Amino acid sequence: MQSEIRRPIAKDARRCAFTGYRPMKMPFGYDEECPLALDFKKRLHETIEILILQGYKHMISGGAQGMDLMAAETVLDLQKDYPEVTLEIAVPFETQAAKWSDDYRKRWQECIDRADVITVLSHQYTKGCLYARNRYLVTQADLLLACYDGQEGGTKNTVEYAKNTGCRVCLIPPVKGKMH
């Protein structure tokens, strides 16, 4: 694991990490301009802003498509009003975005370029690197903000790991008011 620190994290900063679904598990899929997606992005923005006001000044994104990138982009947008907030991208492996669509690769690269801290957990893809990234998110956080409604998979495992290790968890379902 290696980290590049471009701007120091405030020593007293409470830390919030993000986890959540990739587009194929979101009810709006890849269509981030449809009403369901716009509602989710609005709720995500409001939630992250409230967390900032509660003292969460260091935000950590896993850099994946879906929730991770939407949360990172939201933090970058909120830095205009809250410049003291820092963003860390925890990259599971160096070529994470290499096989993504041009649009997603550009969004990922912009988040990487603008992030205050980049942490690369593995130089290459390994069977356990995504799991290692998810554990890193939880161990570095005081709070895990999860786009989660009960679906099986990595997000569920990360939420359960956080609960088992005593990390606070805040859920934001992909559709307002709907949990499986």
Side-chain angles (χ1 to χ4, degrees):
M1 179 174 70
Q2 66 185 44
S3 290
E4 176 188 343
I5 300 171
R6 299 171 179 165
R7 187 165 66 119
I9 302 160
K11 296 219 182 297
D12 63 341
R14 294 168 79 190
R15 297 163 184 247
C16 174
F18 307 115
T19 190
Y21 300 129
R22 304 232 172 88
M24 57 288 256
K25 285 193 172 182
M26 293 287 215
F28 44 84
Y30 287 89
D31 182 3
E32 291 186 25
E33 297 306 315
C34 76
L36 279 178
L38 295 175
D39 175 70
F40 175 75
K41 286 181 175 183
K42 179 178 182 279
R43 290 184 294 114
L44 181 63
H45 188 280
E46 290 168 352
T47 302
I48 293 173
E49 187 167 25
I50 288 167
L51 292 171
I52 290 169
L53 294 171
Q54 291 176 348
Y56 291 92
K57 305 291 188 195
H58 184 64
M59 308 295 181
I60 312 167
S61 169
Q65 293 183 34
M67 168 63 173
D68 289 9
L69 279 181
M70 285 188 267
E73 290 167 338
T74 300
V75 171
L76 291 170
D77 182 56
L78 283 164
Q79 281 180 332
K80 294 172 197 158
D81 294 323
Y82 305 97
E84 72 280 10
V85 172
T86 51
L87 174 65
E88 176 178 355
I89 307 290
V91 179
F93 60 102
E94 288 177 357
T95 57
Q96 178 182 25
K99 296 179 181 177
W100 295 358
S101 69
D102 286 346
D103 177 53
Y104 260 107
R105 207 168 38 253
K106 285 176 188 166
R107 290 172 65 186
W108 180 85
Q109 190 61 56
E110 181 171 348
C111 289
I112 292 291
D113 292 345
R114 294 179 60 199
D116 301 294
V117 178
I118 308 293
T119 301
V120 179
L121 289 131
S122 176
H123 291 294
Q124 57 195 11
Y125 177 82
T126 64
K127 187 177 177 183
C129 71
L130 299 176
Y131 178 72
R133 185 266 322 270
N134 293 345
R135 286 179 63 96
Y136 175 84
L137 292 172
V138 171
T139 60
Q140 297 302 305
D142 300 303
L143 173 77
L144 181 71
L145 178 61
C147 173
Y148 177 68
D149 62 3
Q151 297 178 58
E152 293 294 324
T155 299
K156 179 179 182 178
N157 295 341
T158 305
V159 167
E160 288 176 354
Y161 178 70
K163 288 179 178 178
N164 290 337
T165 59
C167 180
R168 286 186 55 218
V169 176
C170 176
L171 302 180
I172 180 169
V175 177
K176 188 175 183 176
K178 289 198 176 180
M179 296 290 282
H180 279 133

